[in-house]
Structure formats: C-alpha cells, structure tokens
Amino acid sequence: MSKHRVMVLAAAAALLLPVAAECGGSREAPGAVSAAAEKAKPTLKYVIVNAAFDPAQDPAKKVFEERTGYKLEVFMLPAEKPLEKLNIDLASGTEYDILNISRSWYDNLVANKVLIPLDRLLDQYGANIKAAIGAETWLCTTQDGAIYGVPKRNPMDTVNDALGVRGDWLDEMGRRVPQTLEEFTAALKAFQDAKKVLPLTAVAASGQIPTISSAFGVSTYWKDVGGTLVPRMKQPGFQEYVAYVAGLYKAGLLDNEMPVNKSENTNEKLTSGKAAVAPYSWGSAASLRPGLQKNFPKARIDIIHPLKGAAGQQEISLNKGLDAVAGIPRMSKHAEDAVKYMNACLDPKNFKALTIGEEGVHHTADNGKYAPLFPKFNEFANGNYFMNGMIEREYGAYWQARVRKNDDMYATFAEMMKSAPVGRTDPTAFAPSLDKVSKYLNSLKQMENDYIIMLIAGGESLSGYDKFLQDWDKAGGAEMVKQVNDWYRTARK
Amino acid sequence: MTAGAEAAGKIGPEGSPRRGVARGGRADLDLYLLLALPLAFLLVFRYVPLYGISIAFKDFNLFTGRDAFDSIVKSPWVGLANFRRVFGTPDFLQVLLNTVIISFYKIAFLFPIPILVAVLLNEVRIVPFKKAVQTVIYLPHFLSWVIVGGMFLGILGIDGVVNRAVTALGGRPVRFFMDASVFRGLLVFTSGWKETGWSTILYLAAITSIDTQLYEAAEMDGAGRFRQALHVTVPGILNIVVFLLILRIGNLLSADFDQILVLYNPLVYKVADVIPTYVYRIGLGQMDFVTGTAVGLFNSVVSFTFILSANFLSKRLVGRSIW
Amino acid sequence: MVRRSICFTVANAAFLLLLALAMLLPFLHVVAKSLSSEAAVVSGLVAFLPVDFQTGTFRYVLSQPQTAGSFRVSVFVTVVGTLLSLLLTTIAAYPLSKPSLRGRKWLLLAFVFTMLFGGGMIPNYLLVKRLGLTNTVWAMILPSLLNVFNMLVMKSFFEELPASLEEAAKMDGCSNAGVLFRIVLPVSLPVLATVALFYSVSYWNDFFTALLYVSKAGLKPLQLYLYELLTRSLATPDRTLTADEMLNLTPDCVRAATVVITTAPILAVYPFLQKYFVKGMILGSVKG
C-alpha cells in the first residue's frame, strides 16, 4: 500500500517536471517575432547593465518605443558576475540585438570577436549616428580600421573629486580656504591643535587624493612626459606625494583609520563633526550637506580646490571618456533594425524629447540653461540606458537639467567646475581597445593602491620603491606601458 | 553509556547484523527503489556537469567553438599550466598557510561553543525564555558581512566603544583591524558571533531527540543535572558532533571569502590573505573561468582527501563515522 | 544541592541573556536605521532607536511594483522547494541509514563526492538551459533540490532511532517504505523541522541561481531584486561611476530597509517550527 504510494509520488514528480517547465515557459513575455510579421518592425532584444528600476514599466522606455517605432525587450544583467553571464548567454547563442554596456566589457567582447563591424550598416542606415558623434569619440571604437561600437561619451568633462572642509571652523580660526599646499598643512595643524578634531580623513580605496596630488603635479593615471606616456607610479612628483601623505599620517593629521575607511565612514566623520576635511563631491553633496546641517545648523562645507604646489603645480583630472558603448553581437538576427533604432534615437527631432522631454512639461529652458520640472522630469531618470551615443554638441546642455535635480548637488557641481581650467584629461581617454590594458590595469591598480597604503600607514619605507616598480613591471606593467605607447606614437601623427 | 542506553537497543554506528540478513534481498529492493529518484537527481544535476572540470586543464576560450559546450571540447589541453600560474606565485605559500591556520583556529575555538550553548539552553526550564533566546541568537546569521563588518568597525575601531573603554582604563588603543598580530583573532571572534547561534539549531534538535527515558534512568541512578548532561546529553549527540566535525575538517581549505574581503586591508594581507581573496585580487576585473575552476578543483581534491582521512580516523578512534 | 542548582540556573540565564542581547542589538540597529531619516543615518546618529522616525523608506521600497511580485516568487520557490526537497531528502536518507544496505559505503561516497566536486558555472548553466528551465521558476528549485549535507544530517538522526521501533512494524509485514512513512517520520519531527528550516532559509536567501538563470524582471525573487537595488551604483575597483550613476546613489536608509524586508519573513519560520522540537515523542511508541 505504501510502496504503491511511493511509486505514485515518484511518477508524479517525474511528470511534474516537463509540465511545470511548460507552465513556466508560457509565462514568456509577448512580443516574440514570427516570420509572418516580417513587415512589422521586430522587437529588439536589448541588454543593459544592472540598474535599480524595472525596465518593463519604465516611462522613459515607452517614450523611446513610441518615437522610434521599435519595441524593446530589455534584459538587465545581474549585479554580480554580469560579464560572465553575458558571455555565457552569447556563447550559448542567445540572440541579443543591442548591448548597451561599459567600455571595459566592450573591450572584452571585441577581443573575443563577438561584435560585428558596423561601418556598412552605419553608411546605409546610420546617418544621424555619424552626424551626432565626433571624430575623436569614434576613435575609441575603431579597431583595425573598422568600427565595432557606438560610443557614448561623458556629457561633460567633469571634475568629480574634491575635499570638503568645515568653512565655519576656518572662520573661527581666522583662516581662508587653503589654496596652496603650505596653507593646507597649516590648516590641518590648526584643526588638530586649536579645534582638537581629526583634521583629514580619507578612504582606503582611492590610493590617491586628487586635491592633494595636484600640488605634486599628479592628476591623471597616464601622463605625457617628454613624448612618452608614463603611468602614475612612475610620474615625477608621485613619490614626493606619497612621502607627504605618509608624513600627515605619522603626525596624526590624517585619519589613522584610513586603511579601513569606506566612504560611509568618511561621510559619517564629516557629518557628525569628527573630521574637518573629508572627501566630498557633487554626487554626495545631496545627502551630506543636509546631514551636517541637521547636527550643526551653523556648519558650512566649503570646497578645497586642487592645491597649488611650491613650484606652482596644480592640476586635477577631468572625467573625460566614455560612459557606455553600444555594440551588436554576431548572434543578432536584426542588425539592420538595431542600427535603425539607434539612428532614430539620434534624430535631432527626437533627441531632446528622449533625453529631457518637452519644454514646459518636463523641463524649462531659460536662455540655453535647462532646469527640470518635477515630478514629470523623473520619468526620464533612466532614459540614458536606452540611448546609444548622443548628439555631442547638444547633450552637455541638456544634461545640466539632470544635475539641477537637487540644489545642493548643483551648487557643489558649479563650484567644483571652477577648477576646470587646470583640469587635465587622460591621453588614453579615447584610445581604442588595448588588450594588455584590459588584462592588467585593474589588478595593477589594486596592487598600487595596496602599496600606497602600506607606504602611508603600514610603515613601509620609500627605499623599497624601485623594487616595487620592478615587481609592477613583471606583473604585466611593462607589457601594458609598451602597448599604450605603441598606440600613442601612431595616434599622435 | 548508561544502562538505559543499552536497554533501548540502539542500532549502533557500524553495520551490526541485527537486521535479518536473510531477508536482505527483498527488503533491499524496497530501499533501492526509494533511492532511485535521489540517485537520478544526483546523476543529472551533479555528475553530468562534472565535465566542466576539464576547463582547468585547458586554454579555454568561451567563443572558440560554435557554442559554449563546443568551446569546452575544442579548447586545447595545457596540462598543469593553469595551476602553475596561480600556485607558482611566490606569495601562494603564505596564502595557503593563512588559509589553513585561520581555518584551524576557527575549528579549535568555535566548534565547541555551539554545543555548549545548546546544552545550556536545554537546561532552561522556563519555556518562553528558552524560545526567545533560541530565536534571537540566530539572527546574525542573516546579516551580510557588509553590514556586520561595518558594525564591528564601529565597535572595535580606534575610536570605538571598546577602545574608549581601554583608554579610559589607562591602556593604549588596540588596532583590531590593522594590527597583524590581532587580526586573526578578530576573524575568529566575529565569525563566532555571527554563526554560533545558527549552529546551535542542529544540536538543539539532536538533544531534543534523545530519549527521555535515558534521563529518567540516570536520575534514578542518582545523577544530578551536571552528570546527566555529561552522561546522557553528550553521548546522545555524539553522532551529530562527529559528523559535523568530520565535515568541518574536510573543509579546512575553505575560507569565508565574504568575511575576509570585507574586513581585511593591505596592512594585514600577510596574515589574512586566503586563497579565494588572493585569487580575486590578482585577477581583478577579469572574467576568468579557468582560474576559478583550477582553484576549485584543487580545493575539492584536498577536501576530499581530508574527509576520507577524518572519517577513517574517526572510525578508528571513536567508533563513529559517516560511512 | 538545591542551592547549587539555583546558582547554576541563574548564572545560566544571565549568560544566555547576555548572548541573546549581543546578537539582537545589531539587528535592532539595522531596523532603527531603516526607520530613521537619511540625514540622521549618514551622520551616525542612529544607535538602537530610530531618529526622526519615518516610515517613508519602507513605503518607498514596498510600493515599488516589483516588490510584491518578487515577494510572491520567493514565497513560491521557498514553499514548493522546501516541500519537494524534504521528500527527496527523506527517501534518500532513510535507505542510507540502514547498515545492512548492500553497497551502502559506495552509495554514501557517491553522495559525498558531489558535495565537494562541481563542474563550475558553465556546465550547470548549459544543463539548465538544455532542460528548458531558464527563465522559469523551476530553475530556482530543481538544481538545488537535494542538499547532501542535509541528507546526511537526516541520516544521522535515523541511525539513532532504536531498532525495536521498526522491528515491531516489520513483524507485522510492513514494507520499508511503510515503516518510513508510518513509523519513522512521526517520531523524527525535530530533524524534519531542522532540515525544513535549512532548506527554506537556503531557498529564500539564494539569489545567485536566479541571477544566472532568470533575467525576466517578473521572475526575480525578492533577494535578487533588493540586492540589485542595493549594490548598483557602488564604485568597485574595476568600475568608476559614470556621471549619470553619480546622480542616483542609494541612500543608506534604503539599504537598511531592504535588509529588514528580506530577513523578516524567514525569521518567522523558526518560531513556527519550534513547536516541532518537542521532547519525548519517541517515548510512547517503544513501549508498544
């Protein structure tokens, strides 16, 4: 009797499998392409990086679909191991049409010859695309004479890193916001002696504090020194920078917990009044300033601009480069339509509507200054995921509307951009895919950061610096530098 | 073992011929039928994918063949080259050592605690209190290390509660997170805090399953609570204890990647860098199926060897084993 | 004698109370953060009680259309998965607990082997795809149906059962399966409850399987959905934030709220199962 029951259960389980799989299968989203619907525009399988919104319900996506006439079936990559997932999907033959991905993933796919060259398609269907994107930007996605992706560059070359200082405390001590390295050191000492607070705090992950390294002539990772591109650890001034910061650490002027600090720790130290100077940026201003205000209504955060060095050095890295790249994998069955979709997005008639909507409804335009109208403007919060490339001449202005989302954010942004004149861009910002860079840059950066921390806080002496550089070379650094410079020589002709 | 245990006629750890061997045939068929479905599952979902291990011995590229499977087949063999790339680095020996040492500390210090707590909990007579404590102590298991790490940084930081107490008493602040001589202790402590409660669940269930007759018999023999605990409770859960210990030893090479990644920093690499964090750091940003598979295979082989040995030793020394 | 006993009881209670508090307080801290204002959270003002009490964060996360849907998915996967797993685990553990089973050693070895050796991400992905399970709810259940550790736990418990229990039934002509379902299981409630707890926690918390096999938003379990809500827009060593991402960083209070939401339901399971941890179930049946 019970044996019979077991058999029935086992049989049921065996039956359940395919039936349930069917059930699951029939929950597929509508919009599958059938041969009969050839005349109608096919639904494009569109891949985006991980983001916190539901693409199926997103209002921006609907606007894109209306204006271009193409329906999008959006696949969002997971937050963990996204590149692995994407690669496995592609290798298994999944027919994605458009991949809107980051620069480094694009490099990976190009190296594996997964993306198709787009030149012919762009000539036929991509007039708007070609008009919208500048020659310099196209260089990034041109490999062996063919174009493999549609690049979207940063809306503006922005200054993204700064230090925030308690302006009210400076007032109390009768000091102005430090502009030179000397003033900075003196201010830190004053904070320690007079105010008895932690002068400067920093995070572990950065390895390099841009506001300070500016005084040593170090800003971007790669720098042209006498015609060759030199990575930061080998740049003149870098060792001096590290020695300086190590000195701050020993004197207790730099937070001794720096090696374990994450951004939430430094944020907390600033807003709770424990620290005088902390990493600060227009991205974090929106939550930090109110936080500080809440605890200390009279407090004020001022921006320390990149410091000037003894010999007049002053430079800060400008965030120039690519936001994203759109590529079409060779598995796609609708390459032409994919290009047509991208082309429609960059049609001047559509572009503004797709990015900041209609004037008077979603935004206001005041002499070329765009500002958002809430709450409708939020409909476009995620529009950038569906846009491939951008009309470079125009978008910078539109993007300002997004920064104006929040007053604190915008005020800080405007203030930080005042140092743009001393900004420098990384010469490799628009280099094409360089496989040695893709392969080694991240682990080398990690290695560098670790070593810098050991020099600053771990008691390592600078006498070992040359040995470190040798190890760095052996770990792939030498290969990387060579490839970068080979490209640089040809690019400058 | 008290007289009571013998009387209850337990089966015993190793094959005792109490079951009718004569009836073996028909009875066994029934049992094999029950095993059929689990074995089928095992075959399909666990044994079939094992061909992926070959990736560790190949120069693998996902796009070599027509599809992923084809790529695995078509990628060329390179013998032990992949292993040499990871294990041949000069730092690896230290990393391996760290892994083993930290794991050993965790077993030595943290294995007995849940057992003790379970036994103590069992002694609680006030049921609501017992249930409340039971429910609360396993809460930390559900918090991720990101949160737990941040929390401990706040408590044990240079400026945290503990150090403030230390300085108030006249001592110097202890740099729990940055002092290499203290860091392993930090790992053990935080791990214990997080997982002790969860580990007690299994022991509590085991204790609950002990025949109450045995306690009554012991009480009649004049044993107080302490001796009852020693002579009834502990032997009663010995099976589970040995089982868990064997598995834990088998997993000597496994390290809590999440914990260490969140808590460590360059100042303590030399004592806390373990195999998974090391591999993660040197291959940062690269999608690397090959290294992952190679390291995984190494771990698997070592674990398997350890488990077999531990099981054998356990059979010899204590008379109990997994098989 | 009695005094020593009271002393012990009090000391024991004190120790356990301390332990419980040590485990509880951090959790209270997270709950407090989720009910406080962002400004208070960022400046570290929140300890164990909410500051600037507000339920806005919860309302925000819970009102996202996807939250309810992914909650349903998680519940389905957990309930169905646990039930099926319990069944499969039981019918594997019971035969393996019989020392007389021929080939027992090799069968056990075969099971344990799979605990340690795995094929890796690619073959598993291909298998699931080949079986047609991608983007179905079964992809989150079937591959994890049997956990060998849990099975071994159950086997351990079965081995401890007195032989007399089953012999009585066997003499009445009951088959093995019958003994299992009619005699053994009713007295094994503690281990069944424990294994059920283990499985449900593992199904509820698993998001990696979903991550790999499910890309359809409607099928994402709660853990995955909220994890993504939390972790995107975090600069990692291999990725700096784009300008647009800097505009959308997640507030800390939202992070805290997601922790509470994903943990709360599963916490309710254990108290529910506690009633099965009842002593002395064995008592009655042996006498017969």
Side-chain angles (χ1 to χ4, degrees):
Chain A
M1 197 24 201
S2 334
K3 205 195 294 187
H4 174 70
R5 195 156 42 145
V6 173
M7 303 266 270
V8 169
L9 276 169
L15 281 175
L16 202 63
L17 221 146
V19 169
E22 267 292 286
C23 276
S26 66
R27 269 185 247 169
E28 287 290 340
V33 180
S34 63
E38 256 275 306
K39 289 292 177 196
K41 292 180 174 173
T43 304
L44 296 173
K45 288 194 177 19
Y46 195 95
V47 172
I48 59 177
V49 299
N50 191 263
F53 70 101
D54 181 3
Q57 315 271 8
D58 193 69
K61 170 177 169 259
K62 291 197 179 59
V63 178
F64 274 81
E65 287 178 334
E66 279 163 16
R67 288 247 169 187
T68 61
Y70 281 98
K71 284 247 174 301
L72 300 176
E73 194 188 343
V74 182
F75 296 88
M76 190 187 283
L77 291 176
E80 272 215 13
K81 300 201 183 299
L83 191 54
E84 281 84 351
K85 171 111 199 304
L86 179 62
N87 272 293
I88 295 185
D89 279 347
L90 290 173
S92 307
T94 316
E95 295 162 357
Y96 292 134
D97 294 307
I98 300 181
L99 307 173
N100 190 355
I101 53 183
S102 74
R103 174 63 201 269
S104 53
W105 298 359
Y106 158 82
D107 288 341
N108 178 279
L109 293 176
V110 160
N112 280 323
K113 305 208 185 330
V114 175
L115 302 176
I116 59 172
L118 300 173
D119 310 73
R120 197 184 48 84
L121 289 168
L122 287 174
D123 287 337
Q124 279 183 297
Y125 308 108
N128 293 328
I129 305 177
K130 293 172 78 167
I133 300 176
E136 186 190 37
T137 324
W138 280 117
L139 285 178
C140 302
T141 52
T142 311
Q143 208 85 10
D144 308 318
I147 297 176
Y148 287 93
V150 177
K152 170 138 76 96
R153 67 181 287 168
N154 282 342
M156 280 181 72
D157 298 345
T158 52
V159 176
N160 281 358
D161 296 294
L163 289 178
V165 63
R166 287 290 297 268
D168 51 316
W169 288 348
L170 286 175
D171 289 344
E172 280 175 38
M173 300 190 300
R175 292 176 176 271
R176 65 167 185 181
V177 175
Q179 288 173 356
T180 68
L181 194 65
E182 272 191 69
E183 286 176 17
F184 183 68
T185 322
L188 291 184
K189 286 216 185 75
F191 281 125
Q192 189 182 51
D193 300 331
K195 294 274 339 172
K196 304 257 186 288
V197 292
L198 183 63
L200 171 66
T201 180
V203 294
S206 59
Q208 175 189 346
I209 305 172
T211 311
I212 301 181
S213 69
S214 144
F216 295 90
V218 176
S219 54
T220 54
Y221 189 84
W222 294 103
K223 188 177 197 171
D224 185 331
V225 178
T228 337
L229 286 185
V230 176
R232 65 175 173 172
M233 299 290 284
K234 297 189 178 180
Q235 287 172 18
F238 196 79
Q239 284 195 51
E240 287 81 357
Y241 160 74
V242 176
Y244 172 76
V245 180
L248 291 182
Y249 189 89
K250 277 199 200 55
L253 295 172
L254 171 60
D255 186 0
N256 273 10
E257 288 199 302
M258 186 271 282
V260 296
N261 276 342
K262 306 216 175 19
S263 55
E264 57 241 28
N265 303 112
T266 54
N267 288 346
E268 194 199 305
K269 290 183 187 189
L270 180 65
T271 52
S272 60
K274 287 206 191 93
V277 184
Y280 194 75
S281 168
W282 47 270
S284 51
S287 58
L288 289 185
R289 224 189 50 82
L292 180 67
Q293 222 75 74
K294 182 179 166 46
N295 292 333
F296 309 100
K298 291 229 175 54
R300 191 183 80 233
I301 301 184
D302 288 335
I303 302 286
I304 301 183
H305 287 286
L307 296 168
K308 269 207 211 59
Q313 311 100 309
Q314 188 187 27
E315 50 185 83
I316 188 86
S317 173
L318 280 182
N319 186 24
K320 169 174 162 169
L322 295 186
D323 255 2
V325 182
I328 303 178
R330 56 180 155 81
M331 298 82 187
S332 164
K333 297 269 193 297
H334 305 293
E336 289 180 5
D337 290 291
V339 177
K340 286 185 191 164
Y341 164 80
M342 294 197 272
N343 198 49
C345 292
L346 292 175
D347 185 332
K349 289 195 289 288
N350 287 333
F351 187 69
K352 191 194 282 193
L354 291 174
T355 47
I356 53 176
E358 287 159 58
E359 189 171 330
V361 178
H362 302 101
H363 69 267
T364 57
D366 192 8
N367 255 350
K369 283 210 207 317
Y370 293 92
L373 279 177
F374 291 109
K376 289 229 99 163
F377 186 74
N378 280 328
E379 288 177 14
F380 289 96
N382 300 310
N384 51 293
Y385 292 105
F386 305 107
M387 177 65 75
N388 309 108
M390 55 153 180
I391 301 186
E392 295 179 358
R393 275 181 316 277
E394 298 178 20
Y395 190 51
Y398 301 164
W399 185 73
Q400 300 249 6
R402 300 171 75 99
V403 188
R404 275 179 221 272
K405 232 166 54 157
N406 175 290
D407 288 332
D408 283 325
M409 187 189 288
Y410 189 70
T412 315
F413 175 75
E415 180 65 31
M416 283 172 70
M417 284 306 284
K418 285 192 188 152
S419 48
V422 295
R424 281 172 182 264
T425 55
D426 192 307
T428 63
F430 288 114
S433 304
L434 296 171
D435 65 315
K436 296 278 184 276
V437 174
S438 316
K439 188 167 174 191
Y440 294 120
L441 188 61
N442 288 324
S443 48
L444 285 176
K445 270 194 182 161
Q446 178 77 39
M447 192 177 158
E448 293 167 22
N449 282 356
D450 291 344
Y451 184 60
I452 294 173
I453 291 182
M454 289 303 279
L455 285 173
I456 294 176
E460 283 250 0
S461 127
L462 273 169
S463 57
Y465 199 84
D466 289 327
K467 165 97 182 23
F468 171 79
L469 289 182
Q470 283 171 13
D471 291 337
W472 186 89
D473 280 337
K474 272 195 235 131
E479 285 180 54
M480 189 176 73
V481 171
K482 180 173 184 312
Q483 191 185 52
V484 166
N485 276 299
D486 286 341
W487 161 78
Y488 192 57
R489 266 193 302 275
T490 58
R492 290 207 315 160
K493 289 210 193 77
Chain B
M1 296 268 249
T2 62
E6 303 287 22
K10 288 187 180 289
I11 293 179
E14 207 36 69
S16 43
R18 237 187 297 252
R19 294 230 137 244
V21 178
R23 298 173 54 181
R26 204 178 65 218
D28 273 5
L29 185 60
D30 200 329
L31 294 175
Y32 282 120
L33 215 61
L34 283 177
L35 273 174
L37 201 57
L39 282 174
F41 170 86
L42 220 58
L43 194 68
V44 170
F45 283 101
R46 301 273 179 266
Y47 277 100
V48 164
L50 281 180
Y51 68 83
I53 289 184
S54 59
I55 294 180
F57 300 98
K58 293 186 172 217
D59 179 10
F60 176 68
N61 185 308
L62 203 51
F63 297 100
T64 306
R66 276 170 300 122
D67 58 44
F69 181 75
D70 201 38
S71 299
I72 297 183
V73 172
K74 285 221 176 73
S75 293
W77 295 96
V78 290
L80 294 176
N82 296 323
F83 291 91
R84 251 174 269 143
R85 203 175 53 232
V86 178
F87 304 144
T89 56
D91 295 325
F92 185 73
L93 195 58
Q94 181 64 46
V95 168
L96 181 62
L97 216 60
N98 288 342
T99 313
V100 171
I101 293 178
I102 292 178
S103 209
F104 176 74
Y105 281 170
K106 284 188 178 173
I107 298 178
F109 289 103
L110 300 181
F111 189 80
I113 297 184
I115 304 176
L116 183 68
V117 174
V119 171
L120 286 179
L121 258 179
N122 189 51
E123 293 298 319
V124 173
R125 301 285 178 237
I126 307 170
V127 176
F129 179 64
K130 180 176 178 180
K131 286 204 170 166
V133 174
Q134 258 178 271
T135 312
V136 165
I137 57 176
Y138 82 134
L139 284 180
H141 172 80
F142 291 94
L143 299 175
S144 74
W145 271 110
V146 176
I147 297 179
V148 173
M151 187 195 91
F152 274 109
L153 188 59
I155 298 176
L156 298 174
I158 296 181
D159 211 18
V161 187
V162 171
N163 270 322
R164 276 198 232 154
V166 169
T167 42
L169 292 173
R172 305 195 60 207
V174 182
R175 297 184 165 200
F176 291 101
F177 285 83
M178 301 193 290
D179 191 340
S181 57
V182 179
F183 193 73
R184 283 184 185 151
L186 178 73
L187 288 179
V188 172
F189 176 75
T190 50
S191 190
W193 177 86
K194 189 169 184 290
E195 294 302 324
T196 297
W198 179 254
S199 308
T200 59
I201 295 181
L202 201 48
Y203 294 120
L204 279 172
I207 294 178
T208 315
S209 303
I210 298 177
D211 196 346
T212 43
Q213 273 191 308
L214 300 175
Y215 285 106
E216 287 166 12
E219 195 149 3
M220 283 198 290
D221 285 352
R225 272 162 84 177
F226 180 70
R227 300 188 70 196
Q228 277 180 45
L230 200 60
H231 292 288
V232 179
T233 312
V234 172
I237 59 173
L238 204 55
N239 235 24
I240 273 286
V241 170
V242 167
F243 163 67
L244 288 175
L245 188 60
I246 293 178
L247 282 186
R248 191 65 193 82
I249 291 177
N251 282 333
L252 199 69
L253 275 196
S254 75
D256 197 343
F257 175 69
D258 292 316
Q259 177 198 27
I260 298 185
L261 196 69
V262 163
L263 297 177
Y264 85 161
N265 56 77
L267 274 67
V268 295
Y269 280 171
K270 65 178 186 291
V271 289
D273 207 8
V274 291
I275 297 178
T277 53
Y278 177 68
V279 170
Y280 172 74
R281 249 199 8 262
I282 60 175
L284 207 59
Q286 289 182 54
M287 180 200 57
D288 201 349
F289 294 113
V290 178
T291 315
T293 315
V295 174
L297 183 60
F298 172 73
N299 282 351
S300 300
V301 170
V302 173
S303 297
F304 196 52
T305 318
F306 278 20
I307 284 194
L308 287 177
S309 320
N311 190 62
F312 175 74
L313 275 175
S314 167
K315 210 191 308 193
R316 277 296 172 85
L317 297 176
V318 199
R320 291 170 192 261
S321 56
I322 299 183
W323 66 85
Chain C
M1 198 55 181
V2 176
R3 219 192 340 248
R4 206 189 309 168
S5 180
I6 291 182
C7 212
F8 169 76
T9 311
V10 171
N12 192 22
F15 168 71
L16 289 173
L17 187 64
L18 220 64
L19 200 66
L21 279 176
M23 310 288 178
L24 182 64
L25 289 179
F27 201 74
L28 283 183
H29 175 66
V30 174
V31 173
K33 282 214 297 207
S34 62
L35 293 170
S36 308
S37 71
E38 173 64 8
V41 173
V42 165
S43 48
L45 284 179
V46 182
F48 301 116
L49 292 175
V51 176
D52 287 347
F53 184 84
Q54 52 90 8
T55 53
T57 322
F58 275 109
R59 275 185 282 140
Y60 164 71
V61 177
L62 290 174
S63 66
Q64 300 291 305
Q66 227 181 321
T67 306
S70 46
F71 186 79
R72 269 197 298 270
V73 171
S74 282
V75 171
F76 180 84
V77 168
T78 305
V79 172
V80 173
T82 304
L83 288 175
L84 290 179
S85 286
L86 266 181
L87 184 64
L88 197 64
T89 309
T90 311
I91 63 181
Y94 184 68
L96 290 172
S97 67
K98 299 268 159 272
S100 64
L101 188 76
R102 271 194 296 234
R104 177 176 181 252
K105 183 170 177 171
W106 298 107
L107 285 170
L108 275 172
L109 215 57
F111 275 89
V112 172
F113 187 83
T114 67
M115 259 202 314
L116 303 168
F117 288 87
M121 207 195 293
I122 301 181
N124 281 298
Y125 180 83
L126 291 177
L127 179 68
V128 169
K129 195 159 192 284
R130 188 78 53 103
L131 290 174
L133 299 176
T134 28
N135 267 330
T136 68
V137 84
W138 299 102
M140 298 182 266
I141 298 179
L142 291 180
S144 350
L145 214 48
L146 182 67
N147 179 308
V148 176
F149 173 80
N150 292 349
M151 192 273 292
L152 292 174
V153 167
M154 226 189 243
K155 170 182 91 72
S156 264
F157 274 72
F158 288 159
E159 281 171 351
E160 290 283 330
L161 295 175
S164 42
L165 202 64
E166 305 177 28
E167 273 164 11
K170 280 283 182 73
M171 285 199 277
D172 288 347
C174 208
S175 68
N176 270 313
V179 172
L180 172 61
F181 287 103
R182 292 244 194 86
I183 313 286
V184 173
L185 288 190
V187 301
S188 304
L189 289 182
V191 71
L192 284 179
T194 311
V195 171
L197 176 68
F198 287 169
Y199 272 125
S200 35
V201 169
S202 127
Y203 277 116
W204 179 262
N205 280 344
D206 176 39
F207 69 95
F208 193 74
T209 330
L211 186 140
L212 208 50
Y213 303 131
V214 173
S215 46
K216 221 184 325 170
L219 272 180
K220 288 189 185 172
L222 192 66
Q223 288 281 355
L224 181 61
Y225 166 63
L226 291 177
Y227 172 83
E228 296 184 337
L229 201 68
L230 280 184
T231 58
R232 59 134 188 91
S233 298
L234 273 182
T236 57
D238 50 337
R239 203 166 79 81
T240 50
L241 296 182
T242 64
D244 280 313
E245 279 173 337
M246 285 186 77
L247 294 173
N248 282 329
L249 295 178
T250 323
D252 288 330
C253 48
V254 174
R255 294 176 201 272
T258 55
V259 171
V260 177
I261 293 175
T262 48
T263 323
I266 203 64
L267 289 181
V269 176
Y270 188 51
F272 170 71
L273 289 175
Q274 271 181 332
K275 64 180 186 218
Y276 294 109
F277 283 63
V278 177
K279 252 190 193 319
M281 292 290 288
I282 297 181
L283 185 54
S285 28
V286 180
K287 295 264 165 81

